[in-house]
Amino acid sequence: MKAIEVNGVTKQFGALKVLKDINLTVEKGEIFTLLGENGAGKSTLINILATLSAQDCGTVKILGLDPIKQGNQVRPLIALNAQDTTFDAEFSGLDNLKLIAKLRGIQNIPAAIDRVSRQLDLTEFLARKVKTYSGGMRRRLDLAMSLLGDAQVIFLDEPTTGVDPKNRLALWQMIEAIRDAGKTVFLTTQYLDEADALSDHIGFIRDGVIVKYGTPAEIKQRVTATYTITVDEQQVQLAQQLLNEAHIAFTNTNARFNLHADVAAKAMSLMLDHHINVLHYDRDEADLESVFLAINDQENNHAND
Amino acid sequence: MQTIKQLNALTARIVRQNLTNADTIITVIAMPMFMLLFFVYVLGGNIATAGGAGSATTYLRYALPGFLLLTMAMGSAYTSLRINNDRTSGFLNRLHSLPIPRWVILGSHVLASLIFMLLAELAVFVVGLIMGYRVHATIGSVLLFVGLSMLFGLAITLLAIPFSLKADNYASAGGFSYVLLMLLFVSSALMPTKGMAKAVQIFADHQPMTPIVNTARKLLDHSVSLSHNTSIIAGIWLVAGILIFAVLSYRVYAKMYLTK
């Protein structure tokens, strides 16, 4: 059984189509990241998955259950951590945690609160009113409120937005710890480095469409695979001449020739046939930022065509 | 049993929010107290309520029931504010993602609103007692007054819900309460309607607040004469209001939050 299955989901608000035929699956025990800019449809999808909203078309399953028809069975299995922190700032952190624990029907409330407050490094602040907390502490408290109980699928909607780098790193570690505890994390973010560092799988969403889906490595490979051929410095001019004559596009810095994956093998054999001394033949590692830019370029080109 | 615990937990949260917020206490409890003191000791002597010359004592006896309902009406603004705050902060979304029966979420707001309104009403009533007001009624009548207060509180709480859910911010969420206050001012709550301008008097005599206030006054003071019709009209207004506002609230809430 998959943790999350989304098939052909669409959602429209008035004339605005926010989600267009979304398909994705999330395995149990993995971190799936939905990556996209503001307004791409991330929160709309998370609201559907978290039983807050119904899709117009398509099907959704959470651990095999329909969030709309079987919402009462789904809700004990999920936890939602929304973009905005939602607590009573005039109450203490402990009061806020107690409220959620009571609502979740947790039997041993002190033990459950002790566990999450240790996990999120909140223990010493629990007695203080939340209005005295820093931004990072507030975010950790909000996450602690979501982690109370025994939810199996945790939805984290941009949990690190507006969080300073130190707390962001701490939140990353906590998200990984959730996954390591066997739970499934559905994360949305605008941060490429976050998706790259945490995700088992990533879906790029743009204008309500998932334009790329895969592991971080697969996505990097598919979108921007380039190769670098390094030749003997004495033979740079000859190599340039050969590539130009063969109409192979390249860029080069001194003896390093950068080529697209489609033509890299042809360029390599051409050089070897002409006895050019190839010192290195390397596949370049792309970062997600370049993937993101490439996807945007591709989509913009499609739009212009 | 778990549902009752959830209802208790959420209701206690909202009551506590109200009782620990200075702005709420000032507006809903202190302000009606101040108005009661002002009307009784500054204006009361000049308002003839019992046919003869006015006095602070006779005015207090006449006006206290009206002030009690006025207190509840002021409380309804904070009912709306609390719900709106939960909606705009995303707290309602968090609650809807938890394993809680849907009715408990707004039900806790309704229950908390009634509890807070009754507490505020009690506080103003105690001030009235200190000022010299005496109940001339049986225990049964007093209990009926409490029942009437609860129906009135329920009606205005249900009226507050659609405004709280639709308003963009808390400032506009409580705006409807000014209409309630205006209806109370242009009724028999604070002075008899017979001295009002003719057109205003016709309006005052036929709008819902007048029979409700008159019935409340009768229940606390058996010496006040009142036709049965007035009580029946008050009951019809209250029941009709509760039904209409409940349907309206449910429709707005369902459109926003109930996925099926």
Side-chain angles (χ1 to χ4, degrees):
Chain A
M1 189 193 302
K2 309 283 186 193
I4 300 169
E5 295 169 85
V6 179
N7 293 304
V9 162
T10 63
K11 182 75 181 178
Q12 192 165 341
F13 295 110
L16 183 66
K17 287 183 179 173
V18 181
L19 298 177
K20 304 164 190 167
D21 192 27
I22 299 284
N23 295 283
L24 61 89
T25 56
V26 179
E27 299 291 337
K28 274 186 185 176
E30 74 166 353
I31 298 176
F32 175 86
T33 300
L34 191 62
L35 182 62
E37 295 171 314
N38 280 332
K42 303 187 298 291
S43 294
T44 302
L45 182 57
I46 228 170
N47 282 346
I48 290 171
L49 299 175
T51 80
L52 299 180
S53 175
Q55 68 275 21
D56 296 333
C57 295
T59 60
V60 174
K61 297 278 184 196
I62 305 292
L63 296 167
L65 300 166
D66 185 322
I68 302 303
K69 291 177 183 161
Q70 297 164 291
N72 291 337
Q73 291 159 266
V74 171
R75 281 178 211 110
L77 303 173
I78 64 168
L80 171 66
N81 190 256
Q83 266 184 48
D84 298 319
T85 48
T86 53
F87 39 65
D88 288 307
E90 293 291 333
F91 296 173
S92 70
L94 183 61
D95 290 334
N96 279 283
L97 288 168
K98 273 183 183 172
L99 175 70
I100 299 298
K102 285 176 188 170
L103 295 176
R104 278 209 171 269
I106 292 170
Q107 296 301 315
N108 190 342
I109 291 176
I113 290 175
D114 185 57
R115 181 181 61 77
V116 292
S117 52
R118 280 175 192 276
Q119 192 181 349
L120 288 141
D121 202 17
L122 283 166
T123 307
E124 63 181 298
F125 310 112
L126 282 185
R128 278 170 46 183
K129 283 188 177 180
V130 177
K131 68 180 180 183
T132 67
Y133 283 21
S134 67
M137 285 158 64
R138 286 172 182 231
R139 178 47 81 179
R140 294 208 306 273
L141 173 66
D142 199 59
L143 191 56
M145 289 165 73
S146 298
L147 296 181
L148 274 170
D150 194 31
Q152 296 304 303
V153 182
I154 320 286
F155 296 101
L156 304 176
D157 196 1
E158 303 198 17
T160 61
T161 298
V163 175
D164 65 69
K166 186 182 162 199
N167 275 299
R168 194 161 166 242
L169 198 60
L171 284 171
W172 285 10
Q173 289 167 348
M174 288 158 205
I175 292 167
E176 286 177 323
I178 298 168
R179 186 254 318 270
D180 294 344
K183 302 190 174 186
T184 307
V185 177
F186 188 101
L187 174 74
T188 71
T189 184
Q190 311 175 41
Y191 301 127
L192 299 153
D193 57 338
E194 186 165 296
D196 201 5
L198 293 175
S199 313
D200 296 301
H201 285 92
I202 295 174
F204 271 97
I205 187 166
R206 193 177 194 274
D207 294 334
V209 177
I210 301 228
V211 291
K212 284 285 178 290
Y213 175 84
T215 65
E218 283 170 352
I219 288 179
K220 289 175 198 169
Q221 187 177 16
R222 244 185 278 159
V223 176
T224 57
T226 60
Y227 285 78
T228 299
I229 298 173
T230 309
V231 301
D232 189 323
E233 286 186 5
Q234 305 298 320
Q235 296 175 294
V236 171
Q237 274 195 323
L238 177 58
Q240 284 178 338
Q241 188 183 337
L242 286 170
L243 293 174
N244 283 330
E245 286 171 1
H247 301 292
I248 293 173
F250 67 93
T251 56
N252 75 305
T253 310
N254 300 326
R256 291 166 59 84
F257 288 81
N258 190 255
L259 302 124
H260 197 273
D262 296 345
V263 293
K266 184 180 173 186
M268 183 68 179
S269 61
L270 191 66
M271 289 186 189
L272 292 176
D273 288 348
H274 290 80
H275 307 292
I276 288 179
N277 185 16
V278 174
L279 303 176
H280 297 286
Y281 179 61
D282 300 312
R283 186 179 175 284
D284 301 325
E285 270 300 317
D287 59 14
L288 275 178
E289 188 161 350
S290 56
V291 175
F292 193 66
L293 292 172
I295 289 169
N296 277 341
D297 285 346
Q298 286 169 11
E299 294 295 317
N300 289 335
N301 289 339
H302 287 313
N304 292 334
D305 285 347
Chain B
M1 196 58 191
Q2 173 60 15
T3 302
I4 299 299
K5 284 182 183 172
Q6 290 170 329
L7 183 65
N8 281 345
L10 284 173
T11 304
R13 163 185 174 261
I14 303 156
V15 171
R16 185 177 165 195
Q17 282 178 338
N18 283 331
L19 293 177
T20 55
N21 181 273
D23 185 46
T24 312
I25 297 295
I26 289 169
T27 308
V28 182
I29 299 178
M31 185 62 78
M33 285 177 180
F34 170 78
M35 287 174 67
L36 179 65
L37 291 166
F38 178 80
F39 269 75
V40 170
Y41 291 129
V42 178
L43 304 177
N46 296 306
I47 301 173
T49 57
S55 75
T57 308
T58 54
Y59 182 72
L60 174 65
R61 192 169 170 183
Y62 175 86
L64 185 66
F67 274 101
L68 297 179
L69 298 186
L70 190 81
T71 303
M72 298 184 85
M74 292 174 108
S76 69
Y78 282 84
T79 302
S80 191
L81 183 148
R82 297 279 171 239
I83 298 172
N84 182 264
N85 198 38
D86 277 358
R87 180 181 72 77
T88 53
S89 71
F91 193 75
L92 281 187
N93 272 351
R94 184 190 277 276
L95 293 181
H96 283 99
S97 73
L98 290 172
I100 306 172
R102 296 301 210 228
W103 69 267
V104 168
I105 295 168
L106 274 190
S108 61
H109 273 286
V110 172
L111 193 55
S113 172
L114 278 176
I115 292 169
F116 183 61
M117 282 179 183
L118 290 174
L119 285 174
E121 188 181 41
L122 180 65
V124 175
F125 183 71
V126 168
V127 171
L129 289 178
I130 293 166
M131 290 167 71
Y133 184 86
R134 293 296 174 262
V135 176
H136 300 278
T138 60
I139 295 289
S141 281
V142 173
L143 289 176
L144 279 175
F145 171 81
V146 174
L148 180 90
S149 293
M150 289 174 74
L151 288 177
F152 180 71
L154 180 60
I156 59 177
T157 295
L158 292 171
L159 175 63
I161 290 173
F163 290 94
S164 63
L165 292 175
K166 285 288 186 185
D168 290 334
N169 53 58
Y170 73 89
S172 55
F176 78 97
S177 67
Y178 291 109
V179 178
L180 287 180
L181 294 178
M182 192 210 73
L183 285 174
L184 278 165
F185 279 118
V186 188
S187 76
S188 63
L190 306 184
M191 59 198 71
T193 60
K194 64 184 175 188
M196 296 176 182
K198 191 66 184 171
V200 179
Q201 186 188 347
I202 292 170
F203 173 75
D205 284 341
H206 293 89
Q207 58 115 329
M209 295 303 179
T210 295
I212 294 169
V213 171
N214 287 345
T215 304
R217 189 174 291 123
K218 166 74 178 171
L219 289 171
L220 285 182
D221 190 346
H222 265 319
S223 61
V224 175
S225 63
L226 187 68
S227 71
H228 286 303
N229 281 347
T230 303
S231 302
I232 292 167
I233 292 168
I236 290 170
W237 273 117
L238 285 172
V239 172
I242 287 167
L243 291 175
I244 292 167
F245 300 147
V247 170
L248 189 64
S249 296
Y250 178 81
R251 290 183 69 160
V252 173
Y253 174 69
K255 192 171 179 185
M256 293 176 76
Y257 287 103
L258 299 184
T259 51
K260 186 179 170 69

